[in-house]
Each structure stands twice: as C-alpha cells, then as structure tokens.
Amino acid sequence: MSSRQRWTLAAVCMGTFMLLLDITVVNVALPDIRKELNASFTDLQWVVDAYALTLATLLLTAGSLADMFGRRRVFVIGMGVFVVASALCGFSGTPTMLNLSRALQGVGGAIMFATSLALLGVEFRGRERGAAFGAWGGTIGFAVAVGPLVGGALTDGLGWEWIFFVNVPVGILTMVVATLRVPDSRNPDAGGIDWLGVITFSGSLFLLVFGLIRANDYGWGSTTIVIRFVGAVVLFATFVIVERRVRDPMFDLKLFRKPAFDGVSIAAFALSAAMFAMFLYITLYMQNVLGYTPLETGWRFLPLSVTSFVVAPFAGRLTERFPVRLFLGVGLLLVSLALLLMHGAKPDSSWTTLLAGFIVAGIGIGMCNPALATGAVGVVPPEQSGVASGINNTCRQVGIATGIAALGAILQARIETKIEPFLAAAPVHVNANEVGRAIAGGGGEQVAQGIPPGLATRFSAAADSAYTSAFNEILIVGAGVALAGALLAFVLTRQRDFVSHGAAAEAEAAAA
C-alpha cells in the first residue's frame, strides 16, 4: 500500500468514524438530554432521526456532486458543515434547536459519507481494495457499536454536550489531512443535479417517518396520519416517475435491473432497520429499566464492538475469494439469531442476558459491512462508484430512520396496551397514550410523581414490566426483518452481476 493510499484510507476512515459515531453516540446520552432539555419521547426519536433523515435524503445528491466537482473537494466541504453543526448541537438549549442542528449535521455527514466509498474505489484495486474495504467496514462496525461507550464516558465525565464538541478538533484535523494528502478525482461525464428528485424523495421519506413517529399520538386512522402516509406514497411514486424520465437522475433506477444490486441494497436496509435502529431501545432498556449509568451502559456494548471490529477485516479480505452473497446471507442470519437470543429480558435481569446476542450480532455486523461495501461498487463501472455508494448508504440511513420510527411506534403502542390494566384498576386519572409515551422515553419517574405515594412503587414496577415486555416484542420484529433480508440478499446477489466477474469472463472468452 502506497503512502498516498494510506493517507486516503486514514482520512476516509476518520470521517466515516465521526459521522457514524454520531448515529449511536447520542443513544446513551438521551436520558440526560431528556432531563436537561425537558424532552418528550418524540423529541428523543427525532434526535436520532433528524440526523438519519437528512443523511439519507442527501446522500444521492452528494454522490452526484462528488462525481461532478471532485470527491476530495466535496468531502472536505462536508466535513466543514459537520464541524459547524456539531458545535451548534453542543450549544443547544431546547429540543427544537438540538434537532435542527442534528439535521444540519446530517447534511455534512451525507456529503462525507457519499464520497467515502468512491474515494476508496478509485484509489484501490484488487486485493488492496478488499483490504481497504475491510478496514472501512471495521471502522463502521466499530464506530456504530463503540458509540455507546464513547457517549457514556463523555456524558458521565463532561456532560452530554461534549459528545458533539469532541467532533470539532477531530473534524478540523481530518480536513487538513484530506486537503494536503488525498488526491482528487471526478467523473468527467457526470450530469447535473436532479433537484426535483431530491425534493420528492426527501419529502416522501420525511412524511413516512413523521407519520410513524406520531401515529400513536394522533391515532393510526386519523386524518392527519392518513394524509401523511398518502402523501409519502404519492411523492415516492412521483419520484420514481421523475427518475425514469429526467436526463441525469440522482437515483439511477437502471442499476436495480441487476439483481445483485437489489440484494446489496436490501441487505443494507435490513441490517440498519433490524440491528442499528434497535440500539436506541436496547440503551433505553439498560438505563431506564436496569438502572445503568451512561458509561456503564457503554461498557456493556463493548463485546459487540470488539467482535465486529475483529471480524470485519477478515471478512473484507475473504470477499475477494468467496461470493458476497455468502457474507450478506450468513451475516444477516446471525443478526436475526442475535436478536432472538436477546429475547426474554426481564425487569430484574442482569445485562448478561444480552451478552450472547451482543457477541453473535458483532460477528454478523462484521461479516456484512465489508460485503456491503464490496457489493455497492462491485456491480457498477468505476465512474459510477459515487452514485452507487450513495444509493447503498442511503439504504442504510433509510433503514435506521424508518427502523427507529417503526420500532418506536410498536414499542409505544404495546406499552400503552400493557399499562392500561394497571391504570384502569388504580384510582388515577391519566391518559394511557401520554403514559405510554413517557415510559417509552424513560419519563416514567415523572409520571410516578403525580401518582399517590402508595401507588407510585407499584406503578414503577408496572412501567418497567410494560417496557420490558414491549421491548421483547420488537426484538422479534427486528429478527424477522433481518431474516427476510438474509434470504433476499442470498438469492439476489449473484456473482455474475459483478463488473469484475463479467470482465474476467469476457477476457476468458476472448482468449478462447
């Protein structure tokens, strides 16, 4: 590996680590954010989803910009936006300001993330590309999984604001390294920006997530929620029509004519929706039910992070020898098994109830991430690597955003159902919907303060039981999503669809 390649890999991994760390680093800080900013369960969901939504909706556009104006240049600009937004997050004094700042963070993250795979795809070839993708995949697995530990240490030691402030010096260093050491590249045949596609896609995704998050509050059959879901469908249909007719689409639908690209995209979505979205609710269970501090919670995620970090580099190298479908199928199957192993948690369980699931999930994540990277750019020519990586990463972030919203909706609804018998039997006058939302977000103690002292202890026990029971149910849902993703990825990801495979076959035919 040359010096230039090492600097490129270092800059990309540093940027990727920061932006993915901020997907999960906030999870363990959410209880402290809720208390300090007086945030609701909906606010807490938006702290994560505001970031994931803008990240998802702008990735494709950022990939096109990188192909047009230079991947290094766009990468550095994205890092600058990310640094400024991180500082604004740390200075936020209200949930609204924090969520808006998180959305701006997602803008910078989208620009960086869309260019990361493209920079590696252009700079590395052959076995070196497999090793680079393995390191990149290990960075993803480590960043997403170690986020709770970093977030816990910063939250306990300095305050939740520092989970954002720490990005500032690291981001500036990454900008300097990228500017001085990373070569620039672009696609000379790149087209313009598909603004109509950006508007329809982002609008559709926003309405879908907004509807899922607020459906329990307004009612699933309410006019407000139905209009949002219908609007999401209409905008998405419009988006598809636009992408089929526009001259330079941001979302090249022709790529989905290759089953392998479909399989890789489905796997990216399923991994994020099933496992990474679940981190939020695992964290809330460990802190609000089991009573661990942010740092104690972070330490208990360490088996997952270490396992994924160790497995990913080996998986990255092996993707050059074995079919990608094998790593995606087996990896997602292990993620499904891991969520089933976590099932059965109780209010008085030890954290070790989750340990076996953490280890198996770490292996599964470590197998999937480098295979997703290889598959994303392996089925397209090098000049389309920016758009292809953007689509793949979009599927990841859409999975996180919709996964958090959907799992949160199920969690809150099941908590309401399970706490209702207690509320009906007790001489208290509180709304089950409000109580369910409070318990889901860790605000059960505030509700208990308004209940007669003789019932407060019983209510706390009922609240913990309701959350745990609902938590076990969404683990089953997540396992089902991962299993479906495993089957589809294994069936669709055909090795003959890969560009390298096709080129080798043509060379052999010409020689014959």
Side-chain angles (χ1 to χ4, degrees), residues 199-217:
I199 294 170
T200 52
F201 182 76
S202 59
S204 173
L205 186 58
F206 176 80
L207 289 176
L208 173 62
V209 172
F210 190 87
L212 289 171
I213 288 178
R214 299 306 300 269
N216 286 317
D217 298 337

Side-chain angles (χ1 to χ4, degrees), residues 1 9-10 12-13 16 120 124 128-142 309 312-317 370:
M1 186 181 296
L9 182 60
V12 167
C13 286
T16 301
L120 295 181
F124 293 89
E128 288 185 339
R129 174 183 283 189
F133 283 164
W136 185 82
T139 300
I140 290 178
F142 186 71
F309 185 72
F314 291 102
R317 292 184 177 90

Side-chain angles (χ1 to χ4, degrees), residues 138-159:
T139 300
I140 290 178
F142 186 71
V144 174
V146 82
L149 178 60
V150 175
L154 292 172
T155 301
D156 277 357
L158 299 172

Side-chain angles (χ1 to χ4, degrees), residues 193-252:
I193 302 300
D194 176 17
W195 293 114
L196 187 56
V198 173
I199 294 170
T200 52
F201 182 76
S202 59
S204 173
L205 186 58
F206 176 80
L207 289 176
L208 173 62
V209 172
F210 190 87
L212 289 171
I213 288 178
R214 299 306 300 269
N216 286 317
D217 298 337
Y218 289 104
W220 286 86
S222 68
T223 302
T224 300
I225 297 303
V226 171
I227 288 176
R228 280 167 173 75
F229 287 146
V230 171
V233 173
V234 170
L235 282 176
F236 186 76
T238 305
F239 169 73
V240 173
I241 294 172
V242 168
E243 297 309 285
R244 290 172 64 92
R245 298 187 177 186
V246 72
R247 180 179 178 181
D248 298 305
M250 74 168 190
F251 205 116
D252 191 353

Side-chain angles (χ1 to χ4, degrees), residues 56 59-60 113-114 116-117 136 140 251 255-256 260-272 328 368-377 379 384-399:
L59 272 171
L60 297 173
F113 208 5
S116 60
L117 269 182
W136 185 82
I140 290 178
F251 205 116
L255 292 176
F256 289 93
F261 194 80
D262 298 341
V264 172
S265 300
I266 290 171
F269 176 89
L271 179 63
S272 294
L328 296 179
C368 283
N369 275 326
L372 289 172
T374 300
V377 299
V379 297
Q384 287 187 298
S385 58
V387 174
S389 63
I391 292 175
N392 183 260
N393 291 325
T394 295
C395 292
R396 291 174 183 265
Q397 302 312 316
V398 170

Side-chain angles (χ1 to χ4, degrees), residues 414-424 432 435-436 439 459 462-463 466:
R414 299 307 297 157
I415 289 174
E416 292 173 16
T417 300
K418 295 175 186 303
I419 201 67
E420 231 168 358
F422 174 85
L423 299 177
V435 171
I439 294 172
F459 171 79

Side-chain angles (χ1 to χ4, degrees), residues 15 19 22 40 63 106 131 156 161 167 175 203 227 239 254 256 282 305 324 360 365 392 396 416 434:
L19 71 93
D22 268 43
S40 66
D156 277 357
E161 298 89 348
N167 290 331
M175 292 171 67
I227 288 176
F239 169 73
K254 289 184 291 185
F256 289 93
I282 294 174
S305 64
V324 170
V360 174
I365 292 170
N392 183 260
R396 291 174 183 265
E416 292 173 16
E434 294 178 0

Side-chain angles (χ1 to χ4, degrees), residues 217-490:
D217 298 337
Y218 289 104
W220 286 86
S222 68
T223 302
T224 300
I225 297 303
V226 171
I227 288 176
R228 280 167 173 75
F229 287 146
V230 171
V233 173
V234 170
L235 282 176
F236 186 76
T238 305
F239 169 73
V240 173
I241 294 172
V242 168
E243 297 309 285
R244 290 172 64 92
R245 298 187 177 186
V246 72
R247 180 179 178 181
D248 298 305
M250 74 168 190
F251 205 116
D252 191 353
L253 297 178
K254 289 184 291 185
L255 292 176
F256 289 93
R257 294 175 183 174
K258 287 188 175 183
F261 194 80
D262 298 341
V264 172
S265 300
I266 290 171
F269 176 89
L271 179 63
S272 294
M275 192 69 238
F276 293 156
M278 192 70 70
F279 284 176
L280 169 61
Y281 303 109
I282 294 174
T283 300
L284 292 175
Y285 166 71
M286 295 181 75
Q287 288 194 48
N288 296 331
V289 177
L290 301 186
Y292 292 112
T293 66
L295 181 57
E296 290 170 343
T297 300
W299 276 113
R300 284 156 179 80
F301 269 92
L302 201 57
L304 192 156
S305 64
V306 170
T307 305
S308 64
F309 185 72
V310 170
V311 170
F314 291 102
R317 292 184 177 90
L318 291 174
T319 55
E320 296 296 322
R321 297 184 180 182
F322 300 98
V324 170
R325 66 194 295 180
L326 183 65
F327 294 91
L328 296 179
V330 175
L332 280 168
L333 190 62
L334 289 175
V335 169
S336 178
L337 175 60
L339 293 171
L340 292 176
L341 289 173
M342 295 181 199
H343 183 269
K346 299 178 180 178
D348 58 350
S349 293
S350 167
W351 78 275
T352 52
T353 300
L354 307 174
L355 181 58
F358 279 174
I359 294 174
V360 174
I363 297 173
I365 292 170
M367 292 182 67
C368 283
N369 275 326
L372 289 172
T374 300
V377 299
V379 297
V380 300
E383 61 270 15
Q384 287 187 298
S385 58
V387 174
S389 63
I391 292 175
N392 183 260
N393 291 325
T394 295
C395 292
R396 291 174 183 265
Q397 302 312 316
V398 170
I400 290 178
T402 56
I404 286 175
L407 292 174
I410 297 171
L411 181 80
Q412 183 181 334
R414 299 307 297 157
I415 289 174
E416 292 173 16
T417 300
K418 295 175 186 303
I419 201 67
E420 231 168 358
F422 174 85
L423 299 177
V428 295
H429 302 285
V430 291
N431 183 277
N433 177 265
E434 294 178 0
V435 171
R437 186 167 65 250
I439 294 172
E445 294 179 0
Q446 294 179 342
V447 177
Q449 293 174 1
I451 293 178
L455 295 174
T457 302
R458 287 173 52 198
F459 171 79
S460 296
D464 287 348
S465 178
Y467 183 93
T468 305
S469 179
F471 171 64
N472 281 315
E473 292 187 23
I474 64 173
L475 286 172
I476 297 294
V477 174
V481 172
L483 178 60
L487 295 175
L488 290 172
F490 187 80

